[in-house]
């Protein structure tokens, strides 16, 4: 059985929900799903209900997740339209980064005024990065701010050939930028929409085949730094409604999809593993923990099916896809937390990687 070992997998782009959105997902259910997907740690986005935009809300969220998390975790702080830059000094050291929503998506954190975006860029402390939701032309607007303020910036869920072109140039110019790509943009495209219906709706939306090819090319050229799931669970009832929300789950399908791609020769196996672990650790300056790793059987082939998923939402846009690569064991800090079938650690086992809770 060809087992490979991946040290310290981190997904820096997840929406674990909870707080007022426990009907979608809970900190407990989704950190369990993360472990089943092979992860050591996940970073949670601030577009929750309520949004994570002041110190009290951040600390309240931290207490809640601290009691429930199975895996290790970090929280983002959200830049708000109402200008919450006065909060930055108190919270910057204790979060994984600042998140700025520059195009519309789930939640109420959209900032479309360039003056307000600039205010956030000017005020943030460069010791932590800024993670941005920016699509198409908005990417170049944000790049202007990076050029001016030199704040390390991670571009989330990059999905088009045009965006890749802008970021390739920005990297060549030496700007402090990093690039994340999601499995749904790598393995699905607009041709899949008729079959997927609302289950194929997410922001950024599924693109053309030519965009997908540009993403794979950028992976091979090393322009893409990491693979992030953008795990964004919504209930089946919400997706079946007349106004389906944007977002798809991904914590349990990201690793097997990437391993499958490696075995098809679409990228080197080591690169696939690094983009899920080492590169994330490097960008977020996380010191890897000893005895914290994932064992994967790269020969085990299986179908992605909703019956086998741990995430509370209970569906996947990848249902019916065959993948090769099954998580056999997950270890965190010397504890076996997953045996290939069951998550073995209790809620509250997961630790905060950034010192929010004492
Ligand atoms: C995300 C969500 O539902 O929170 N949705 C999505 O379509 N990706 C928000 C986001 O990442 O933009
Ligand atoms: Zn987004
Ligand atoms: Zn997201």
């Amino acid at each position: 059985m060809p087992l490979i070992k991946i040290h310290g997998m981190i997904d820096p782009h997840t929406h674990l929900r909870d707080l007022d959105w426990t009907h979608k997902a809970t900190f407990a259910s989704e950190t369990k799903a993360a472990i089943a997907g092979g992860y050591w740690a996940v970073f949670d986005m601030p577009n929750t209900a309520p949004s994570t935009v002041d110190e009290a809300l951040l600390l309240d969220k931290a207490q809640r997740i601290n009691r429930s998390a199975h895996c290790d975790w970090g929280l983002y702080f959200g830049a708000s339209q109402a200008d919450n830059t006065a909060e930055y000094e108190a919270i910057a050291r204790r979060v994984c980064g600042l998140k700025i929503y520059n195009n519309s998506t789930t939640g109420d954190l959209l900032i479309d005024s360039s003056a307000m975006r600039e205010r956030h860029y000017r005020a943030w402390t460069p010791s932590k990065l800024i993670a941005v939701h920016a699509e198409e032309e908005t990417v170049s607007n944000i790049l202007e701010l990076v050029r001016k303020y030199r704040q390390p910036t991670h571009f989330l869920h990059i999905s088009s050939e045009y965006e890749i072109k802008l970021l390739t140039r920005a990297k060549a110019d030496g700007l402090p930028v990093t690039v994340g790509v999601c499995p749904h943009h790598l393995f699905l495209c607009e041709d899949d929409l008729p079959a997927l219906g609302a289950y194929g709706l997410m922001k950024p939306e599924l693109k053309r085949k030519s965009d997908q090819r540009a993403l794979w090319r950028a992976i091979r050229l090393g322009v893409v730094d990491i693979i992030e799931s953008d795990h964004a669970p919504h209930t089946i009832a919400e997706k079946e409604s007349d106004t389906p929300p944007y977002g798809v789950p991904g914590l349990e399908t990201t690793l097997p999809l990437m391993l499958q791609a490696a075995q098809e020769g679409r990228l080197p196996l080591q690169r696939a593993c690094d983009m899920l672990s080492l590169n994330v650790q490097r960008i977020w300056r996380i010191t890897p923990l000893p005895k914290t790793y994932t064992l994967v059987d790269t020969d085990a082939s299986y179908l992605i099916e909703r019956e086998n998923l741990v995430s509370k939402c209970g569906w996947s846009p990848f249902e019916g896809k065959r993948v090769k690569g099954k998580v056999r064991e997950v270890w965190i800090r010397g504890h076996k937390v997953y045996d290939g079938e069951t998550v073995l650690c209790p809620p509250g086992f997961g630790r905060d990687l950034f010192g929010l809770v004492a």
Side-chain angles (χ1 to χ4, degrees):
M1 186 161 62
L3 280 184
I4 61 162
K5 196 174 189 178
I6 310 173
H7 291 273
M9 275 176 57
I10 301 175
D11 190 339
H13 184 175
T14 69
H15 304 267
L16 306 176
R17 314 300 194 199
D18 209 322
L19 305 175
D20 293 347
W21 276 349
T22 50
H23 70 287
K24 289 184 197 283
T26 66
F27 293 140
S29 65
E30 304 317 281
T31 52
K32 225 176 188 178
I35 289 181
Y39 289 100
W40 156 37
V42 290
F43 301 164
D44 179 61
M45 288 293 172
N47 63 330
T48 37
S51 300
T52 317
V53 290
D54 68 36
E55 190 181 8
L57 290 163
L58 177 71
L59 293 179
D60 179 58
K61 193 196 237 187
Q63 298 299 338
R64 290 275 289 266
I65 190 171
N66 192 45
R67 282 196 297 270
S68 347
H70 293 266
C71 67
D72 289 359
W73 52 274
L75 299 180
Y76 286 92
F77 194 68
S80 83
Q81 194 138 51
D83 189 354
N84 56 348
T85 53
E87 306 275 336
Y88 287 175
E89 205 184 315
I91 57 87
R93 270 179 301 109
R94 300 181 287 163
V95 295
C96 58
L98 175 72
K99 171 71 181 278
I100 309 183
Y101 287 89
N102 301 285
N103 299 103
S104 59
T105 186
T106 308
D108 56 12
L109 288 174
L110 173 66
I111 297 182
D112 53 9
S113 132
S114 44
M116 186 54 81
R117 287 175 189 161
E118 179 150 7
R119 202 176 302 181
H120 286 290
Y121 255 84
R122 197 184 309 123
W124 186 245
T125 150
S127 64
K128 289 289 172 63
L129 58 72
I130 299 179
V132 292
H133 179 132
E135 300 182 38
E136 301 294 62
E137 209 42 52
T138 312
V139 169
S140 52
N141 300 334
I142 299 300
L143 283 171
E144 281 169 35
L145 293 174
V146 180
R147 208 175 281 280
K148 188 162 172 189
Y149 293 100
R150 297 277 152 176
Q151 300 274 18
T153 300
H154 177 70
F155 287 80
L156 300 154
H157 49 36
I158 285 306
S159 67
S160 78
E161 185 169 15
Y162 178 65
E163 293 167 357
I164 285 291
K165 218 173 264 171
L166 292 174
L167 287 159
T168 305
R169 206 177 309 142
K171 284 189 160 193
D173 287 351
L175 294 186
V177 297
T178 51
V179 175
V181 164
C182 302
H184 41 267
H185 296 123
L186 288 171
F187 298 95
L188 301 170
C189 70
E190 60 181 10
D191 303 347
D192 296 299
L193 273 173
L196 284 170
Y199 298 103
L201 290 186
M202 79 291 289
K203 292 288 189 175
E205 291 174 31
L206 293 178
K207 299 274 156 54
R208 289 182 299 247
K209 266 260 176 282
S210 53
D211 292 300
Q212 199 179 50
R213 275 194 296 269
L215 297 180
W216 281 107
R217 202 159 46 237
I219 285 180
R220 284 189 293 271
L221 292 173
V223 173
V224 177
D225 298 281
I226 64 160
I227 302 298
E228 54 198 38
S229 76
D230 190 7
H231 180 77
H234 296 286
T235 67
I236 288 173
E238 288 167 335
K239 281 295 198 181
E240 296 282 348
S241 75
D242 292 339
T243 51
Y246 292 99
V248 298
L251 276 169
E252 296 165 80
T253 46
T254 298
L255 173 62
L257 284 167
M258 293 311 294
L259 292 176
Q260 168 74 29
Q263 294 186 75
E264 287 170 7
R266 304 181 82 173
L267 78 169
L269 179 63
Q270 192 58 49
R271 172 80 57 84
C273 297
D274 287 351
M275 288 197 302
L276 294 164
S277 55
L278 195 69
N279 295 4
V280 184
Q281 294 163 19
R282 208 169 41 217
I283 293 167
W284 273 265
R285 297 192 204 156
I286 306 280
T287 313
L289 291 184
K291 300 181 194 160
T292 298
Y293 59 87
T294 301
L295 289 179
V296 192
D297 179 352
T298 52
D299 251 8
S301 160
Y302 67 99
L303 278 184
I304 296 174
E305 288 171 308
R306 58 173 67 172
E307 293 70 38
N308 301 328
L309 296 169
V310 174
S311 168
K312 185 169 175 180
C313 74
W315 61 275
S316 162
F318 303 110
E319 280 169 46
K321 263 201 193 326
R322 180 162 286 281
V323 284
K324 216 171 168 193
K326 208 164 182 17
V327 179
R328 293 293 187 209
E329 289 177 15
V330 179
W331 290 74
I332 299 179
R333 299 188 293 274
H335 297 272
K336 191 193 216 178
V337 296
Y338 186 62
D339 63 5
E341 280 175 16
T342 310
V343 173
L344 305 168
C345 58
F349 173 84
R351 288 198 197 152
D352 165 21
L353 294 184
F354 295 89
L356 259 171
V357 287

